Amino acid sequence: DAGVIQSPRHEVTEMGQEVTLRCKPISGHDYLFWYRQTMMRGLELLIYFNNNVPIDDSGMPEDRFSAKMPNASFSTLKIQPSEPRDSAVYFCASSPTPVTGVQNSPLHFGNGTRLTVT
Amino acid sequence: QKEVEQDPGPLSVPEGAIVSLNCTYSNSAFQYFMWYRQYSRKGPELLMYTYSSGNKEDGRFTAQVDKSSKYISLFIRDSQPSDSATYLCAMSGGATNKLIFGTGTLLAVQP
């Protein structure tokens, strides 16, 4: 099992440009999560999907952020236009069952995309 | 006030020391408590999981939950340089399927 795969590992872009981050979850995992990590705010949940359907996007900071999951093996997080305050590490994670409750499954994280907006 | 508070450290200890890492939280609906370990430039990995109050031990690691005080701890005995990482507490409960993470504590174990 290759684990959760994210691309690119690093992205440097100029303010105003569109940024697309990609994620391939572990096969068979029905839940997919996008997190953002910064020193000041830690790990914040942006959005999560269940069976390719967005369930909770209340963590998406503003309309400049959008996420899609066109099929069970691929998801994107897009920022348009990007701003310097979007600089962070963006993680994708997947899980076979809900992350809470008696079934409890751990989140399996990718190694993240480090985004720098200048 | 954040739902989960965690001292960011850094915490530096000598090899062999006992390490205590802590988090406090404000949401009384939280029932599921986890500790994740994150090595530099990697994603977090689940280390310990505890349901409700009590203790759980796994090798050199012990997780404690005190729901009455809204306080959770992770103890590492006989710490090793390979334990150097950021430790994040995470918790959830109620009607949500969301994990809420602390900001993480950076631990350095000196050989």
Side-chain angles (χ1 to χ4, degrees):
Chain A
D1 190 343
V4 175
I5 299 173
Q6 291 186 247
S7 63
R9 284 302 308 272
H10 300 90
E11 177 80 33
V12 180
T13 191
E14 291 183 347
M15 182 174 64
Q17 296 298 306
E18 177 179 295
V19 175
T20 300
L21 311 181
R22 297 172 176 80
C23 174
K24 176 178 169 57
I26 294 173
S27 177
H29 284 197
D30 292 336
Y31 293 83
L32 183 138
F33 302 78
W34 282 100
Y35 281 87
R36 176 172 67 177
Q37 187 175 40
T38 61
M39 290 289 290
M40 289 300 296
R41 302 173 68 92
L43 206 56
E44 300 174 284
L45 178 64
L46 301 178
I47 185 172
Y48 83 89
F49 295 82
N50 180 21
N51 291 323
N52 313 336
V53 176
I55 302 300
D56 188 332
D57 65 355
S58 59
M60 296 286 261
E62 48 197 275
D63 292 344
R64 296 185 298 107
F65 285 69
S66 62
K68 294 182 179 179
M69 193 165 185
N71 56 63
S73 60
F74 184 66
S75 177
T76 59
L77 178 67
K78 186 174 294 186
I79 308 173
Q80 166 64 20
S82 58
E83 296 183 3
R85 60 194 168 116
D86 301 331
S87 297
V89 182
Y90 290 81
F91 286 101
C92 176
S94 69
S95 175
T97 62
V99 295
T100 65
V102 294
Q103 291 179 286
N104 174 260
S105 295
L107 281 176
H108 297 260
F109 283 84
N111 284 328
T113 295
R114 184 173 296 272
L115 173 65
T116 302
V117 183
T118 60
Chain B
Q1 182 189 7
K2 290 181 180 178
E3 279 191 291
V4 180
E5 299 277 0
Q6 185 175 9
D7 186 338
L11 181 62
S12 182
V13 301
E15 184 175 352
I18 295 175
V19 176
S20 173
L21 304 168
N22 311 292
C23 287
T24 59
Y25 63 94
S26 57
N27 189 341
S28 57
F30 287 152
Q31 301 178 70
Y32 307 97
F33 305 92
M34 284 139 272
W35 287 94
Y36 278 75
R37 179 174 60 194
Q38 183 177 20
Y39 291 114
S40 179
R41 302 196 179 273
K42 298 289 188 181
E45 298 174 295
L46 181 66
L47 186 62
M48 297 283 285
Y49 162 72
T50 309
Y51 168 66
S52 194
S53 286
N55 294 358
K56 184 172 184 178
E57 188 173 319
D58 184 0
R60 297 184 294 111
F61 298 89
T62 300
Q64 287 185 352
V65 175
D66 182 349
K67 290 190 69 180
S68 62
S69 301
K70 296 189 180 67
Y71 188 87
I72 70 170
S73 301
L74 177 71
F75 297 95
I76 307 174
R77 292 182 299 280
D78 187 25
S79 55
Q80 302 295 310
S82 58
D83 295 328
S84 298
T86 296
Y87 290 80
L88 302 114
C89 61
M91 48 197 80
S92 66
T96 178
N97 185 35
K98 298 192 287 190
L99 276 185
I100 308 300
F101 283 85
T103 51
T105 299
L106 178 61
L107 171 68
V109 180
Q110 308 297 333

